[in-house]
């Protein structure tokens, strides 16, 4: 199945589809975060936040957008939010 088919199945309630998406993209997402944050623990925190946001925002996915750019927009925005909060404290 394509990523787009999987996210639509996940939106429809198929948790197995989420697991496939997670397994397919976890290394790429974590690598992106590690390359920018240079800290394993901090990257793990943001990584978890990304997939929590994916779960809560899955109904906002638009079928006319490929899944991977949508996911990495979520990743980038979550990273930016994290850095802003970190730098304030």
């Amino acid at each position: 199945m394509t990523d787009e088919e999987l996210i639509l199945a996940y939106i429809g309630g198929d948790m197995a589809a989420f697991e496939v998406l997670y397994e397919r993209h976890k290394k790429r997402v974590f690598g992106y975060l590690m390359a920018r944050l240079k800290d394993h623990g901090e990257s793990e925190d943001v990584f978890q936040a990304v997939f929590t946001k994916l779960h809560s925002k899955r109904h906002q996915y638009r079928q006319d957008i490929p899944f991977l750019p949508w996911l990495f927009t979520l990743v980038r925005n979550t990273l930016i939010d994290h850095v802003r909060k970190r730098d304030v404290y």
Side-chain angles (χ1 to χ4, degrees):
M1 290 180 86
T2 67
D3 289 343
E4 292 74 23
E5 291 168 333
L6 289 166
I7 189 65
L8 293 176
Y10 177 47
I11 290 167
D14 184 352
M15 283 304 295
F18 169 77
E19 292 171 18
V20 172
L21 283 170
Y22 177 81
E23 288 299 320
R24 192 176 283 178
H25 299 294
K26 69 182 182 181
K27 287 181 183 177
R28 183 179 288 170
V29 170
F30 192 77
Y32 177 90
L33 295 170
M34 275 296 295
R36 280 142 186 89
L37 293 169
K38 311 281 192 248
D39 181 272
H40 194 272
E42 203 173 5
S43 295
E44 284 181 350
D45 291 345
V46 178
F47 179 84
Q48 288 180 351
V50 165
F51 284 96
T52 299
K53 278 189 180 180
L54 174 85
H55 176 71
S56 67
K57 294 184 180 286
R58 68 189 182 277
H59 295 289
Q60 294 178 12
Y61 174 75
R62 292 185 6 223
Q63 293 183 34
D64 59 321
I65 299 172
F67 175 75
L68 200 56
W70 182 80
L71 172 63
F72 271 87
T73 298
L74 211 66
V75 173
R76 185 179 55 86
N77 290 343
T78 305
L79 176 60
I80 289 168
D81 290 346
H82 171 79
V83 170
R84 283 182 181 155
K85 286 178 191 173
R86 178 191 69 191
D87 291 347
V88 167
Y89 298 109

